[in-house]
Amino acid sequence: LVTGGAGFVGSAFVRYLAGQDSTTILVLDALTYAGNLANIAPALTSERVSFVKGSINDAPLVSALLREHCIGSIVNFAAESHVDRSILGPGEFIQTNIVGTYTLLEASRAYFNELDKFAQAKFRFLHVSTDEVYGSLGLTDPAFSETTAYQPNSPYSASKAASDHLVRAWFHTYGLPVLTTNCSNNYGPYHFPEKLIPRLIANALAGQPLPIYGDGSNVRDWLYVEDHCRAIASVLAGGRLGETYNVGGNSERTNLQVAHAVCSILDELAPSKDGPFSRLISFVKDRPGHDQRYAIDARKIGAELGWMPSETFESGIRKTVQWHLDHQDWVRDAMSGAYRDWEQLRCRSRTGCVAENTL
């Protein structure tokens, strides 16, 4: 069972898993604004992949699916994940990320307790989380490790931290066989256009400003989404129960560096008659509580499971830009009315907001 499997990272995992082995995959997604069946369309051509529309907050539905499909493992991607949205409306993040995870854990616990010993030994609940639960780093601080104290600074990261703690508690209290991964910023194909990299690409191609928060010095560790999928599969197959594994791309970049990288590739692949795309870079008022730097120490997953990223930032960002150029129909469909309504709300709530394109 892959929850949130029509979102960005969840759908990448579904496509990855569908192409790797004979696993039967059930995708559960509520298809809110960022969920898109087109994201898993390539996988749905396989008879091994099926889809159910629904929420992890729907306990009767989740319980029924577990039993009807004899689920052997759960990978939980279902989450609200955009910091700006959490600042404007934290309630949905509390409901999905905390209450939803609780609901899923309880349904899983009841189902797990009904299994025979053989099935229990193989069952896994893998919870996908974020490096943002650890808070913010200074420019010279060591990277986040699995033992770094939680210090979430936004409603989004606080809700994910709470969900991580619930997953840990259900292992130590009830014996549910859980695993947790905390990843750095993902990027790649099918990325919803509210996030930095797809926003930069779409705006540049539309000749719109490329808005960068503050002075662009905020640092993130960028992880190509297919590398993340390989990591999750590795943890699911061989991770130690109850353990957390940090997953990073070894690719720290400032937001301004990311913008210049995107512009440089677009200058090469889709040059503008008006000149270099970097001319469109603009700086906007910083968001409240904007964390300065995230960085992941991924030595544990490397040492225990042999995982390491296969893409550098340079190779991954080129693939990402090329994919967006080749899939403009998907981008136009993703920039739906619901997305435009959100952009208008975001701009009304802040001064200095740059109007977005309307692809």
Side-chain angles (χ1 to χ4, degrees):
L1 175 64
V2 180
T3 67
F8 169 46
V9 185
S11 67
F13 184 71
V14 170
R15 296 191 304 272
Y16 171 82
L17 206 60
Q20 293 299 310
D21 55 31
S22 58
T23 302
T24 300
I25 306 162
L26 175 64
V27 179
L28 176 66
D29 199 292
L31 295 182
T32 55
Y33 74 96
N36 188 344
L37 275 179
N39 296 355
I40 56 172
L44 287 173
T45 60
S46 169
E47 62 183 15
R48 296 187 290 106
V49 182
S50 56
F51 173 79
V52 172
K53 181 179 180 180
S55 168
I56 59 172
N57 276 302
D58 187 342
L61 173 63
V62 173
S63 296
L65 292 176
L66 292 174
R67 292 171 177 83
E68 290 171 9
H69 294 267
C70 299
I71 296 298
S73 58
I74 299 169
V75 182
N76 180 33
F77 294 95
E80 297 286 346
S81 65
H82 192 233
V83 174
D84 281 6
R85 285 180 182 266
S86 78
I87 293 170
L88 291 180
E92 292 182 5
F93 289 72
I94 304 303
Q95 190 63 37
T96 298
N97 298 356
I98 301 178
V99 180
T101 299
Y102 160 75
T103 303
L104 189 60
L105 284 166
E106 278 293 84
S108 300
R109 179 166 73 97
Y111 170 71
F112 175 77
N113 288 337
E114 297 170 1
L115 299 175
D116 60 35
K117 296 298 182 182
F118 178 76
Q120 284 187 342
K122 300 178 69 175
F123 185 83
R124 297 292 184 269
F125 182 110
L126 193 154
H127 176 65
V128 181
S129 190
T130 172
D131 57 358
E132 296 192 37
V133 299
Y134 298 122
S136 182
L137 293 171
L139 294 179
T140 60
D141 289 338
F144 300 132
S145 74
E146 290 80 1
T147 59
T148 300
Y150 277 29
Q151 293 183 318
N153 292 320
S154 71
Y156 161 61
S157 57
S159 68
K160 288 299 290 183
S163 69
D164 293 5
H165 291 320
L166 289 174
V167 171
R168 174 185 170 87
W170 260 242
F171 171 74
H172 286 279
T173 301
Y174 302 115
L176 188 69
V178 307
L179 300 151
T180 299
T181 58
N182 292 83
C183 69
S184 57
N185 278 34
N186 280 218
Y187 69 102
Y190 296 97
H191 204 174
F192 193 71
E194 70 185 356
K195 300 300 178 72
L196 176 64
I197 289 176
R199 178 194 295 269
L200 291 171
I201 298 169
N203 280 24
L205 292 175
Q208 296 285 340
L210 309 182
I212 304 295
Y213 282 135
D215 62 2
S217 65
N218 299 82
V219 176
R220 300 294 182 262
D221 176 20
W222 291 95
L223 172 66
Y224 192 64
V225 68
E226 291 181 9
D227 280 336
H228 187 195
C229 293
R230 289 192 302 103
I232 292 170
S234 296
V235 173
L236 189 63
R240 289 184 290 131
L241 294 183
E243 290 291 311
T244 294
Y245 293 87
N246 281 356
V247 186
N250 297 328
S251 296
E252 289 187 56
R253 298 291 189 280
T254 67
N255 289 344
L256 188 56
Q257 287 175 323
V258 171
H260 279 291
V262 169
C263 289
S264 178
I265 296 170
L266 285 173
D267 286 339
E268 176 188 344
L269 300 179
S272 169
K273 60 181 177 57
D274 296 320
F277 285 103
S278 58
R279 77 188 189 280
L280 299 173
I281 293 174
S282 62
F283 298 94
V284 299
K285 182 181 178 181
D286 210 352
R287 72 184 179 204
H290 195 179
D291 291 335
Q292 179 60 40
R293 172 176 169 250
Y294 304 144
I296 282 285
D297 179 345
R299 285 180 292 179
K300 178 178 176 178
I301 190 174
E304 293 190 13
L305 302 175
W307 177 89
M308 62 182 299
S310 61
E311 299 289 347
T312 64
F313 181 75
E314 288 71 24
S315 64
I317 196 65
R318 177 171 288 273
K319 288 183 177 181
T320 301
V321 172
Q322 185 65 66
W323 185 90
H324 278 77
L325 290 173
D326 294 341
H327 293 83
Q328 284 295 290
D329 287 347
W330 181 91
V331 175
R332 280 189 288 270
D333 290 343
M335 304 287 275
S336 66
Y339 173 76
R340 289 193 294 271
D341 290 345
W342 151 248
E343 285 300 329
Q344 292 171 7
L345 174 62
R346 185 178 72 92
C347 288
R348 285 198 301 269
S349 69
R350 309 246 311 264
T351 59
C353 179
V354 176
E356 303 302 329
N357 70 77
T358 55
L359 283 177

